Amino acid sequence: SMKILPASHGNLMSLRDSNSLVDQVHIILREAIINWRFKPGERLYQAALARQLGVSQMVIREAIDRLEAEGLVLKENYKGARVRLHTIQDLEDLYRLRLLLEGDAMELAADRITTEELAQMRTLLPQIIFNSQEPDSLPITIANHRDFHWIAIRASQHRYLIHFLGHIWNLINPYLLYSPELRQSLTSEEMTLSTQLDLKYHRQLLEALEARDGNKARAINQEHLLDGLQTLEEHMRLLLQPD
């Protein structure tokens, strides 16, 4: 059966306050969707989830309601819920929003980012690229990649910009190129090429921020995202085939 929890989580029943319980379960399920433990289109079985997490089905239901409000889950009449499967049109829409907002964030960050934050990004740079020889390192790579971008996004210091970008990232994340289905569709040459290109973009973005060049940071971010979207669309067709 699908393990949603890293082994360390243990049973949640020690949390007596039901509100904080829903908060916890909501976060755990969202992480499971974002990190591919549930795939786009997969059914979510409330009873099984309640058993696995040691909580009531009511808690699961409330957490699923929150995920539906966030756009990560789709509830179906009489059929329970499933992880939302975006269409290519949905993803283009999300990427358009991400281009606008993240371009703004990078431009603002170029003026405001601290030398410490730039140093953190530089340290992360070699750790954000997936090594296909070590598939187990993927969760760490994804976390580092996210941190790299988010140091810059948070440096924009615009609260709502940061808030909405976080939301968009959560919706796009299950479709990133490193997801298992998409990885299987790439030859090792394509994978190597893709990671080299990825590293180049991230290095250029960092250099633009270090040079305090907001226009350049925006332009590089745009090129990176458009390139990512194009690759994603080429491989989405695999994802959209039902089991």
Side-chain angles (χ1 to χ4, degrees), residues 224-237:
H224 177 42
L225 286 179
L226 289 173
D227 192 63
L229 178 60
Q230 190 186 345
T231 312
L232 187 57
E233 289 184 333
E234 288 164 15
H235 294 281
M236 267 299 280
R237 292 167 182 66

Side-chain angles (χ1 to χ4, degrees), residues 78-179:
Y78 311 115
K79 281 191 189 164
R82 61 176 71 238
V83 179
R84 183 184 281 277
L85 180 59
H86 290 317
T87 62
I88 289 177
Q89 176 71 55
D90 290 335
L91 284 164
E92 285 176 351
D93 201 12
L94 286 166
Y95 264 81
R96 180 179 294 111
L97 285 169
R98 191 177 155 194
L99 272 171
L100 293 168
L101 297 183
E102 210 167 298
D104 263 5
M106 292 305 138
E107 199 168 315
L108 290 160
D111 287 334
R112 297 166 178 225
I113 196 163
T114 66
T115 44
E116 291 78 23
E117 287 165 334
L118 288 167
Q120 276 179 289
M121 288 176 77
R122 193 153 278 290
T123 307
L124 280 169
L125 192 59
Q127 302 167 45
I128 61 175
I129 302 304
F130 177 58
N131 176 357
S132 48
Q133 265 62 62
E134 295 177 28
D136 292 348
S137 68
L138 184 61
I140 296 164
T141 306
I142 288 175
N144 288 336
H145 176 264
R146 193 173 178 124
D147 285 349
F148 179 90
H149 282 272
W150 274 83
I151 290 167
I153 290 169
R154 277 193 292 270
S156 72
Q157 296 173 21
H158 278 56
R159 183 188 312 175
Y160 289 108
L161 182 58
I162 293 165
H163 172 78
F164 287 114
L165 268 172
H167 194 53
I168 291 164
W169 268 67
N170 285 345
L171 291 169
I172 289 176
N173 210 80
Y175 297 86
L176 289 181
L177 185 60
Y178 295 151
S179 57

